[in-house]
Structure formats: structure tokens, C-alpha cells
């Protein structure tokens, strides 16, 4: 909703207590994972991906539109 990213070093911080998204040491890896997420969500189109970038949704979403089994069940 705000576009704020979070990124965690799960090997050193498995409980996700320290967000390293703003730490320059992690920039390259953050860009890599952002690209993978964008590629994965691109088939869904907007609002997930807009103009090749992750999109912002104006409202929160509790579950995936495909949960459970495409809403059937």
C-alpha cells in the first residue's frame, strides 16, 4: 500500500527482526529479488505489475486471489 519494501537476511536474522532494505550492502540482492518477484507477478498484470514495475494496491488483500484453489472451496 505504501510501497515500502522490507528485506531480511534470513541466515543471520531468521526471525526477521532487522530490515536491511535500506542498507547499501544489500542493494544488489534486493534488486535481484525485486526482479524475480516482478517476473513472477507479471502474468497477473495490474495492479500487481504496472509498466514493468511492482505496483501499489490502494487496499490491502488478506488472501491471494487464488486461495484456496482459485476461490473454489
Amino acid at each position: 500500500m505504501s510501497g515500502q519494501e522490507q528485506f531480511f537476511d534470513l541466515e543471520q536474522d531468521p526471525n526477521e527482526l532487522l530490515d536491511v532494505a535500506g542498507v547499501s550492502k544489500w542493494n544488489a540482492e534486493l534488486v535481484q529479488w525485486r526482479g524475480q518477484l516482478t517476473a513472477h507477478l507479471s502474468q497477473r498484470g495490474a495492479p500487481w505489475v504496472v509498466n514493468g514495475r511492482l505496483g501499489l494496491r490502494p487496499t490491502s488483500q488478506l488472501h491471494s486471489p487464488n486461495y484456496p484453489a482459485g476461490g473454489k472451496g
Side-chain angles (χ1 to χ4, degrees), residues 50-62:
V50 179
N51 296 325
R53 300 186 69 178
L54 293 173
L56 298 177
R57 292 189 321 269
T59 59
S60 65
Q61 183 173 331
L62 183 59

Side-chain angles (χ1 to χ4, degrees), residues 5-7 20-23 26-35:
E5 294 178 312
Q6 292 183 310
F7 195 68
V20 296
V23 178
W26 293 98
N27 284 351
E29 195 163 348
L30 178 60
V31 167
Q32 175 188 355
W33 282 103
R34 186 186 305 123

Side-chain angles (χ1 to χ4, degrees), residues 5-21 26 29-30:
E5 294 178 312
Q6 292 183 310
F7 195 68
F8 299 94
D9 177 358
L10 296 179
E11 290 180 5
Q12 298 298 314
D13 180 20
N15 295 317
E16 299 179 3
L17 301 174
L18 180 63
D19 180 6
V20 296
W26 293 98
E29 195 163 348
L30 178 60

